[in-house]
C-alpha cells in the first residue's frame, strides 16, 4: 500500500491492524508489547498475515460501526456480498471487571448470494524468527515455533479447517467465523457464542461513547480519536501507549524507526488530560495509579518512559532478519531513550495531577499519594531545573538548555502551588513562590532572541522549535502577548511548509528532518486560533484532516510532498492534539465565521 490505510481494533490488552482490503498485517499477543504473530507490516515476504482473496470484480469498502471499534470490511459484486466484522472482545462481566482475552475475532457475515473467497492464513510467531509450522487438529488449527523460542497460536473456525490452511476456495452459504488467540480454549466456540461476543463488544463501545460529549463541529473526528486513545490504554496497569506499532519510519528508507509500544510520561499525561476533559474519569484514575506505583521513593526521579507493566529497563535491539516497512531498516524492539533525561516530564505530570484535583476534587481516593508525589516533583525540579537535558525530541547527542524543558519546569512549580492551595497545604508557598519566579525570570532572560524576535529552541540559539508554541497553553504567557504573537509568526515563516510543520529545521543526530510531525501542525493551528486568526486556523485544520487515512486515523508524521502517513500508527500524540484543536475550533459560531470572512 502507498499509505498507512489500516484500521485498528483492540481491547485494552493488545491490538491489531487490518488493511483496507481486510488483510490483518500486525498483531502482537498476548500483550501490546509481546512478540508479533503477524508482521507483514514490517516485512512483506516473511512477516506473516491473515487475508482473504476474492475475484477482481469485488468492490471492497471499509468503515467502523458507528461509535464502536468494530471494523467492517465489505466485499461486494452485483450478485454476491459479504462482510468481515473484526474486533477484539471487550465487555464488562457480572463481576464488574472486564473480559478482554488475547484473541481476535473475524466474524464473516453473509449479505447476499453465495460469495466465494480463499483464506490466506500465514502466522509467523516471535517476529518471524525461525519457522512457524501450522497443523490441523480436530478442534482447531495450531501454529507453533520452537527453535528460537517456544510459542503457539490457536485458530478456531466454523469453516473447513483443511480448506482454510491450504487456501482452497470457500463458498459462503451462512455466517461464519474465525477466532485466533494466544490460548487454547477450554470450550470450542460456536457461531452463536461468537455472535454474542460481537454484540457485547458493540454494546461496550456504545456505552463508552455515551459518556463522551457531543460537539457542534468535528464531532465524528473527536469521537474516533477518543476511541483510538482508549484502544491505546492498557487495562492491566493504566499505562497509555504512544502507538500500537514499532519501527514505522518517519521517512521511507531512513533510519528514524523506533518502538513506540511503551508508556512515555509526557505522551500519556497529555492523553489523560484530554480524555479527562471528555469525561472519562476511569482512564485518568487508572493512569494516576500507574504513576503512584512507579514512584515508591519520594526522591526517586522519573524516567521519561516505562514498559506498560512498569518495566524500567527497555533494552533496544535490532531485528536484522526483517526488511522493515517499505524496506526501511532497522526494525527495533525496545527503546534506548528510556535512559535519557528530559526535564519537561515533571511539569506535564503536575499539570495532569492539578487537572484531576480540579475536576474530581470531591472524589479523589489517592489525594495523600498525589500530594506526596507533588512534593517529590518540586524537590526534583528544584535540584535539577538549571541542568541541560535531551529535550522533548529526544536528541541522542549533546544536552542543551531547551526552552520547552525550562517552561515545563516552571509549570511543575506553578501547578504544585495551585495544588497546595486546593489541598490547604499553603505552608509550602514560602519556598515555592520564589522558585517559580526565579525559573520564570530565567526563561524570559535567556529564551527570547531579540534578533529572531521569538522564543527559540534553546538558550542562546537562533533555531526555532514548534514545542515552544506550548508556552501559551501551559499558561506561561498570554496568547495576546506581543512576544508570543511574534513567536507564532516566526515559527510559521520558518517551520511551515504548505500548512504542515517541521518540529525544527536544525540538523539533529540523523540529519535534517524531511517529514512533518503531525502534532506540531495541530499545535500551530491552535496557536493561530489563540492569537485571533480563527478562520486561517480552521482552514488549515480542515486541510490537515483531509490527510488522515480512510478511517480518520493519523500516524506520527506526514510526508510534505505526497501527504502520505509516516511513522508509528495510530499515534496517541496526533489524536490527542486533534481533539484539543477540534474542541477549540468548535467554539467558533457561524456568525463569527461570517463576520471574520467579511472583515478579512
Amino acid at each position: 500500500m502507498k499509505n498507512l490505510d489500516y484500521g485498528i481494533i483492540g481491547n485494552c490488552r493488545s491490538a491489531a491492524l487490518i488493511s483496507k482490503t481486510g488483510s490483518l498485517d500486525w498483531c502482537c499477543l498476548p500483550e501490546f508489547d509481546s512478540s508479533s504473530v503477524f508482521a507483514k507490516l514490517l516485512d512483506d515476504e516473511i512477516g506473516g498475515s491473515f487475508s482473504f482473496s476474492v475475484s477482481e470484480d469485488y468492490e471492497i469498502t471499509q468503515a467502523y460501526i458507528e461509535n464502536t471499534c468494530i471494523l467492517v470490511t465489505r466485499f461486494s459484486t452485483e450478485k454476491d456480498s459479504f462482510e468481515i466484522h473484526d474486533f477484539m472482545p471487550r465487555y464488562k462481566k457480572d463481576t464488574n471487571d472486564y473480559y478482554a482475552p488475547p484473541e481476535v475475532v473475524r466474524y464473516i457475515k453473509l449479505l447476499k448470494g453465495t460469495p466465494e473467497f480463499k483464506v490466506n492464513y500465514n502466522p509467523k510467531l516471535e517476529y518471524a524468527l525461525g519457522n512457524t509450522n501450522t497443523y490441523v487438529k480436530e478442534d482447531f488449527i495450531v501454529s507453533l515455533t520452537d527453535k528460537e523460542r517456544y510459542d503457539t497460536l490457536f485458530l478456531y473456525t466454523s469453516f473447513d479447517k483443511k480448506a482454510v490452511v491450504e487456501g482452497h476456495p470457500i463458498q459462503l452459504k451462512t455466517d461464519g467465523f474465525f477466532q485466533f488467540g494466544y490460548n487454547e480454549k477450554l470450550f470450542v466456540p460456536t457461531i452463536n457464542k461468537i455472535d454474542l461476543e460481537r454484540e457485547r463488544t458493540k454494546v461496550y463501545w456504545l456505552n463508552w461513547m455515551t459518556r463522551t460529549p457531543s460537539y457542534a463541529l468535528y464531532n465524528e473526528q473527536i469521537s474516533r480519536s477518543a476511541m483510538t486513545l482508549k484502544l491505546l490504554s492498557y487495562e492491566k496497569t493504566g499505562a497509555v501507549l504512544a502507538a500500537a506499532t514499532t519501527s514505522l519510519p518517519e521517512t521511507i528508507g531512513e533510519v528514524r524507526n523506533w518502538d513506540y509500544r511503551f508508556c512515555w510520561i509526557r505522551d500519556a499525561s497529555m492523553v489523560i488530560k484530554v480524555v479527562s476533559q471528555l469525561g472519562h474519569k476511569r482512564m485518568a484514575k487508572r493512569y494516576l495509579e500507574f504513576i503512584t506505583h512507579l514512584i515508591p521513593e519520594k526522591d526517586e526521579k522519573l524516567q521519561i518512559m516505562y514498559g506498560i507493566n512498569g518495566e524500567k529497563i527497555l533494552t533496544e535491539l535490532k531485528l536484522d532478519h526483517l526488511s522493515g516497512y517499505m524496506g526501511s531498516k532497522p526494525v527495533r524492539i525496545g527503546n534506548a531513550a528510556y535512559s535519557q533525561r528530559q526535564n519537561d516530564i515533571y511539569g506535564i505530570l503536575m499539570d495532569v495531577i492539578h487537572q484531576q484535583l480540579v475536576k474530581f476534587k470531591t472524589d479523589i481516593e489517592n489525594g495523600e499519594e498525589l500530594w506526596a508525589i507533588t512534593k517529590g516533583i518540586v524537590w526534583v525540579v528544584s535540584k535539577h531545573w538549571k541542568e541541560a537535558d535531551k529535550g522533548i525530541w529526544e536528541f541522542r547527542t549533546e544536552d542543551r538548555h531547551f526552552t520547552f524543558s525550562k517552561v515545563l519546569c516552571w509549570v511543575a512549580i506553578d501547578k504544585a502551588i495551585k495544588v497546595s492551595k486546593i489541598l490547604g497545604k499553603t505552608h509550602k508557598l514560602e519556598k515555592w513562590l520564589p522558585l517559580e519566579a526565579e525559573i520564570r525570570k530565567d526563561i524570559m532572560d535567556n529564551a527570547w532572541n531579540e534578533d529572531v524576535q521569538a522564543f527559540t529552541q534553546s538558550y542562546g540559539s537562533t533555531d526555532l522549535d514548534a514545542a515552544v508554541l506550548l508556552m501559551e497553553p501551559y499558561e506561561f504567557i498570554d496568547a495576546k502577548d506581543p512576544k508570543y504573537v511574534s513567536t507564532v509568526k516566526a515559527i510559521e515563516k520558518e517551520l511551515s511548509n504548505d500548512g504542515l510543520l517541521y518540529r525544527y529545521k536544525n540538523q539533529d543526530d540523523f540529519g535534517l528532518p524531511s517529514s512533518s510531525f503531525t502534532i506540531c501542525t495541530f499545535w500551530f493551528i491552535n496557536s493561530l486560533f489563540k492569537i485571533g486568526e480563527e478562520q486561517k486556523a480552521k482552514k488549515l485544520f480542515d486541510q490537515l484532516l483531509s490527510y488522515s487515512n480512510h478511517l480518520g486515523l493519523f500516524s506520527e508524521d506526514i510526508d510534505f510532498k505526497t501527504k502520505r502517513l509516516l511513522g508509528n500508527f495510530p499515534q496517541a500524540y496526533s489524536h490527542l492534539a486533534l481533539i484539543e484543536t477540534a474542541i477549540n475550533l468548535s467554539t467558533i459560531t457561524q456568525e463569527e465565521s461570517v463576520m471574520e470572512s467579511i472583515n478579512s
Side-chain angles (χ1 to χ4, degrees), residues 313-378:
I313 307 298
L314 307 175
T315 305
E316 187 173 295
L317 303 172
K318 295 178 181 178
L319 301 180
D320 292 328
H321 67 290
L322 294 175
S323 63
Y325 177 80
M326 301 288 290
S328 302
K329 299 187 77 167
V331 171
R332 291 182 170 95
I333 55 173
N335 198 305
Y338 77 90
S339 61
Q340 289 186 1
R341 174 195 291 170
Q342 295 175 21
N343 294 334
D344 64 280
I345 61 175
Y346 297 103
I348 289 171
L349 181 55
M350 271 311 310
D351 186 47
V352 170
I353 291 173
H354 172 251
Q355 182 214 33
Q356 297 309 302
L357 288 171
V358 169
K359 194 171 182 65
F360 306 120
K361 60 184 175 183
T362 59
D363 190 26
I364 290 287
E365 298 174 4
N366 52 348
E368 292 176 356
E369 289 176 314
L370 295 180
W371 176 235
I373 290 173
T374 297
K375 292 185 291 183
I377 285 176
V378 173

Side-chain angles (χ1 to χ4, degrees), residues 74-76 80-83 109-113 115 172 175:
R74 176 175 290 188
F75 298 75
S76 298
D80 299 315
S81 183
F82 70 99
E83 292 175 340
K109 185 175 181 62
L110 175 64
L111 298 181
K112 66 177 182 179
L172 188 63
D175 290 2

Side-chain angles (χ1 to χ4, degrees), residues 61-331:
T61 58
Q62 191 178 64
Y64 285 103
I65 295 177
E66 186 177 6
N67 287 331
T68 79
C69 292
I70 298 176
L71 185 63
V72 177
T73 310
R74 176 175 290 188
F75 298 75
S76 298
T77 66
E78 283 190 11
K79 63 183 184 67
D80 299 315
S81 183
F82 70 99
E83 292 175 340
I84 305 171
H85 291 216
D86 284 305
F87 66 97
M88 295 185 74
R90 179 173 173 82
Y91 50 84
K92 187 175 283 191
K93 298 187 290 187
D94 294 338
T95 53
N96 251 1
D97 54 350
Y98 289 90
Y99 179 71
E103 58 194 38
V104 171
V105 174
R106 315 200 73 180
Y107 185 91
I108 315 299
K109 185 175 181 62
L110 175 64
L111 298 181
K112 66 177 182 179
T114 52
E116 186 174 281
F117 57 81
K118 295 179 182 178
V119 177
N120 309 302
Y121 181 69
N122 185 30
K124 293 296 182 70
L125 310 186
E126 295 293 325
Y127 296 115
L129 276 168
N131 295 321
T132 296
N133 298 307
T134 297
Y135 305 96
V136 174
K137 302 294 184 179
E138 181 179 353
D139 292 331
F140 52 76
I141 297 164
V142 63
S143 300
L144 61 88
T145 182
D146 59 6
K147 294 294 183 183
E148 300 291 330
R149 291 178 58 188
Y150 173 74
D151 206 356
T152 54
L153 186 72
F154 297 89
L155 174 69
Y156 294 85
T157 180
S158 58
F159 299 103
D160 181 85
K161 290 184 283 294
K162 185 176 180 182
V164 169
V165 169
E166 296 180 359
H168 297 315
I170 294 174
Q171 269 201 347
L172 188 63
K173 297 179 180 179
T174 187
D175 290 2
F177 72 90
F178 299 91
Q179 180 187 51
F180 69 82
Y182 187 73
N183 299 312
E184 182 179 347
K185 308 293 286 184
L186 295 180
F187 302 100
V188 177
T190 64
I191 188 70
N192 290 336
K193 175 70 164 57
I194 294 294
D195 193 26
L196 179 60
E197 287 203 346
R198 181 171 61 118
E199 290 300 321
R200 294 181 79 173
T201 300
K202 179 180 175 182
V203 168
Y204 165 81
W205 286 109
L206 292 174
N207 284 337
W208 193 84
M209 283 304 298
T210 61
R211 299 192 294 275
T212 305
S214 296
Y215 294 87
L217 298 175
Y218 307 114
N219 191 62
E220 183 179 340
Q221 290 86 352
I222 291 171
S223 296
R224 181 51 52 197
S225 292
M227 285 182 278
T228 301
L229 294 179
K230 176 62 176 174
L231 285 175
L232 293 174
S233 67
Y234 182 53
E235 174 72 25
K236 181 179 176 183
T237 64
V240 180
L241 286 79
T245 57
T246 179
S247 303
L248 297 185
E250 295 179 23
T251 302
I252 301 296
E254 294 189 6
V255 296
R256 299 173 200 253
N257 317 325
W258 316 111
D259 192 346
Y260 276 19
R261 297 171 298 159
F262 302 109
C263 181
W264 271 259
I265 298 300
R266 180 193 308 109
D267 304 38
S269 297
M270 288 180 170
V271 166
I272 292 304
K273 184 178 180 182
V274 168
V275 168
S276 295
Q277 190 175 349
L278 296 176
H280 293 286
K281 176 186 171 184
R282 186 174 181 275
M283 267 185 76
K285 179 174 178 286
R286 299 283 292 119
Y287 176 67
L288 289 178
E289 288 172 355
F290 177 69
I291 293 296
T292 57
H293 292 150
L294 288 177
I295 313 177
E297 304 297 334
K298 293 178 181 178
D299 62 346
E300 182 169 339
K301 291 180 69 175
L302 273 173
Q303 293 182 186
I304 68 164
M305 60 187 294
Y306 295 86
I308 58 175
N309 285 295
E311 300 93 340
K312 296 181 179 181
I313 307 298
L314 307 175
T315 305
E316 187 173 295
L317 303 172
K318 295 178 181 178
L319 301 180
D320 292 328
H321 67 290
L322 294 175
S323 63
Y325 177 80
M326 301 288 290
S328 302
K329 299 187 77 167
V331 171

